[in-house]
Amino acid sequence: MTTYVITIPGTFLRELTDEARSVLVRKLRPADPRQTSLGRAEELDVLTVNENGTFSVRLEVEAHDSHSAEEAARRTATEALREAGYAEDDAPTGPAAVTGIDTPA
């Protein structure tokens, strides 16, 4: 299996409260890309939120191929958003993309 760093963009259509952000980050933390050499080198954060409400979720996923990694990351992000109180209509996401591959040395 290969370790992928997957980025999922999105937009919060209602304000992200401090409490919701805390829940969201806590749910995403097990897949934090800082555990990979790429994530450490690039100082990738699991969640980046811009002033205009757009956001990026970056997740570390182990999978056999990039398509499976993207699907797994999307499931993780969707579940975390839901647990933080954001339905798909409240925080729509764009296409997942592979932003890094961490191969064993």
Side-chain angles (χ1 to χ4, degrees):
M1 289 240 259
T2 301
T3 301
Y4 293 88
V5 176
I6 305 295
T7 300
I8 302 171
T11 303
F12 288 112
L13 298 180
R14 63 179 175 83
E15 182 182 353
L16 177 65
T17 65
D18 290 340
E19 181 179 338
R21 183 186 186 104
S22 177
V23 169
L24 183 56
V25 169
R26 186 174 67 248
K27 295 295 180 181
L28 295 172
R29 186 62 61 207
D32 190 336
R34 287 187 188 232
Q35 298 173 38
T36 66
S37 58
L38 172 70
R40 285 187 300 274
E42 298 295 323
E43 297 182 9
L44 298 176
D45 287 329
V46 71
L47 175 67
T48 302
V49 181
N50 300 307
E51 290 181 23
N52 63 358
T54 59
F55 65 90
S56 295
V57 172
R58 291 176 196 83
L59 302 173
E60 171 190 333
V61 178
E62 286 194 21
H64 291 288
D65 57 54
S66 61
H67 180 73
S68 298
E70 290 171 7
E71 288 178 342
R74 181 165 295 289
R75 282 191 303 273
T76 299
T78 299
E79 182 178 316
L81 285 163
R82 191 176 316 117
E83 294 220 16
Y86 291 86
E88 287 184 46
D89 292 344
D90 297 325
T93 57
V98 174
T99 51
I101 299 174
D102 197 31
T103 55

